[in-house]
Amino acid sequence: MNFQRLSELDLAGKRVFIRADFNVPFHADGTLSDDTRIRATLPAICHCLEAGAAVMITSHLGRPIEGALTPADSLAPVAAALSELLGRPVPLITNWTDGHFSVRQGEVVLLENCRGNVGEKADDPQLAARIAGSIDVYVNDAFGTAHRKECTLHALALAAPVACAGPLMTAELDALGRALAQPARPLAAIVAGSKVSTKLTILESLADKVDVLVLGGGIANTFLAARGCEVGGSLQESELLEAARRVERRLAERGGVVWLPEDVVVADRFAADADTRICDAESVPPGWMILDIGPNSRDSLAGVLARAGTIVWNGPVGVFELDAFAAGTRALAEAIAASPAYSIAGGGDTLAAIARFGVGERIDYISTGGGAFLEFLEGRELPAVAALRARARPASRRIAPVPQFEHEPELT
């Protein structure tokens, strides 16, 4: 993928602006509950400081009203955490868009919540131009928000003198490019979730790319029903049966296959202490619901993944939060970890499953992108990535042409 990387640039004496993702969770008392996202940006910050740059960082936090930040919207707790992690003061700067603040070579400051700036959500080019006037290098290290067309993610990347990807963004794009653009074959994608409707565009896109499409959860139930199987009281979308058949036909035309479970774990109700049994996937008793894949399906799936060249994983194959229905997702996680294939995983439930079953060190790349990861799977070009691509060969301090994107709904 064609974009400039932070590691390629001479930063000595430069004013470097880093767009990070510090949208961190908090306890009820207002203290940080997880600093993972802050730690993840440290390599970019330290690289710039060691190179002799003056470093400015900003991020969004929540969804404040533009021009009306409240104390709850402030990045002040992030500044304190960042100061502790870096072992140096990190002042928090307010009203920063005109550049009327001081930051010297070898210093770092945190710029207050960028979503408080009027024009941020609208991707205002005038706001971008004001900010660009006081920076030398723009760095996007926030892949998790790359699907947003907002000023500090898109317009500013086009207006800055130089724009590049930080190490987090670079790692995500390299991993996704390896998995989807030039994958080792066979390419297997696991897509699971409660509804086909939320991931139909992903399924349609993957049908043109993958060799094996592994389905789980409510999505699998809908595809089983589309094949004429009795799925009892399982979650499924009867209005999307033809859409499911269309995806399966599209894949078959390319010589690919849809993998569905042959046996399943069913329950008489959705509860940890429900009565359970194992049955064929095509003949679920009336009123019973599929909540996991069965032992034969686990063995079959492990065989498919052992033969894969590349694996993309998004979603568990059962209700793994309940012990009675966790065996399928545990087997899936272990099979991916044991496979010689290059593996990449992403999505909130997927990350939770990886953590629960302790396979993180054996997955080649774990994306923290959330909505951006899903949109990449759909085959969309993300606005922030498009801006970096447009600036791959910056010739001067001029504003690059602005790629056009339709408005997208909030995903995170």
Side-chain angles (χ1 to χ4, degrees):
M1 195 173 290
N2 188 24
F3 58 90
Q4 280 205 116
R5 300 161 189 255
L6 178 63
S7 59
E8 300 169 341
L9 302 179
D10 178 6
L11 304 176
K14 301 292 178 60
R15 290 169 61 92
V16 176
F17 179 104
I18 300 175
R19 176 51 160 99
D21 182 1
F22 293 154
N23 192 32
V24 293
F26 290 86
H27 292 297
D29 64 1
T31 59
L32 267 69
S33 61
D34 186 354
D35 65 357
T36 300
R37 289 182 176 179
I38 301 174
R39 290 178 181 275
T41 309
L42 294 180
I45 299 169
C46 292
H47 173 83
C48 294
L49 290 173
E50 291 167 5
V55 182
M56 302 162 273
I57 316 163
T58 196
S59 171
H60 70 290
L61 179 65
R63 294 173 181 166
I65 298 173
E66 290 186 359
L69 282 181
T70 69
D73 303 319
S74 177
L75 289 176
V78 175
L82 194 56
S83 178
E84 184 174 346
L85 289 168
L86 289 172
R88 63 168 69 206
V90 180
L92 180 66
I93 308 297
T94 59
N95 303 316
W96 51 268
T97 58
D98 289 322
H100 297 153
F101 58 90
S102 173
V103 55
R104 296 188 179 91
Q105 183 176 339
E107 292 181 342
V108 55
V109 298
L110 183 63
L111 309 178
E112 185 60 282
N113 193 338
C114 59
R115 281 192 179 166
N117 298 329
V118 176
E120 172 68 14
K121 293 287 287 182
D123 197 33
D124 183 4
Q126 293 184 341
L127 173 61
R130 289 205 310 274
I131 299 171
S134 60
I135 69 177
D136 299 307
V137 177
Y138 167 88
V139 182
N140 191 327
D141 213 25
F143 178 79
T145 56
H147 57 304
R148 303 242 184 254
K149 187 172 179 284
E150 298 177 358
C151 181
T152 56
L153 297 164
H154 181 254
L156 181 56
L158 296 168
V162 175
C164 68
L168 268 180
M169 175 71 80
T170 296
E172 291 274 358
L173 296 179
D174 286 347
L176 287 165
R178 177 175 174 180
L180 294 174
Q182 296 179 317
R185 300 279 178 177
L187 168 58
I190 301 105
V191 180
S194 59
K195 294 183 178 181
V196 171
S197 54
T198 60
K199 294 186 178 179
L200 180 58
T201 52
I202 295 173
L203 297 173
E204 290 174 335
S205 176
L206 291 176
D208 293 328
K209 298 181 177 72
V210 305
D211 302 298
V212 183
L213 184 58
V214 175
L215 302 177
I219 291 175
N221 300 341
T222 299
F223 275 72
L224 286 167
R227 288 184 178 181
C229 300
E230 294 294 334
V231 296
S234 305
L235 176 65
Q236 56 108 350
E237 295 172 283
S238 56
E239 71 278 11
L240 289 176
L241 298 184
E242 182 50 40
R245 296 185 190 105
R246 186 170 63 248
V247 169
E248 192 155 11
R249 285 196 302 267
R250 195 158 157 182
L251 195 59
E253 288 169 359
R254 297 180 45 254
V257 296
V258 169
W259 183 95
L260 291 170
E262 56 192 85
D263 64 339
V264 291
V265 179
V266 297
D268 63 346
R269 57 198 172 89
F270 191 96
D273 60 349
D275 289 334
T276 65
R277 67 176 69 165
I278 296 169
C279 68
D280 291 339
E282 62 186 20
S283 54
V284 176
W288 287 62
M289 60 187 70
I290 301 170
L291 295 181
D292 197 8
I293 62 174
N296 292 337
S297 298
R298 294 171 215 153
D299 291 343
S300 168
L301 183 52
V304 168
L305 298 177
R307 296 187 294 271
T310 305
I311 299 170
V312 178
W313 178 20
N314 175 243
V317 293
V319 186
F320 74 96
E321 297 88 348
L322 302 180
D323 289 343
F325 314 110
T329 302
R330 178 184 290 108
L332 168 64
E334 288 291 345
I336 294 172
S339 174
Y342 176 76
S343 55
I344 180 170
D349 288 340
T350 307
L351 269 59
I354 289 171
R356 175 170 181 182
F357 302 123
V359 297
E361 292 186 358
R362 293 185 286 158
I363 305 295
D364 289 301
Y365 190 80
I366 299 173
S367 172
T368 58
F373 178 81
L374 294 178
E375 290 203 16
F376 199 103
L377 292 188
E378 286 185 50
R380 300 188 189 188
E381 183 163 42
L382 310 179
V385 177
L388 292 178
R389 285 166 56 83
R391 299 302 311 281
R393 296 184 179 86
S396 64
R397 192 185 178 114
R398 64 180 180 80
I399 296 178
V402 180
Q404 297 300 307
F405 293 90
E406 296 179 0
H407 174 72
E408 296 294 342
E410 294 276 337
L411 293 180
T412 59

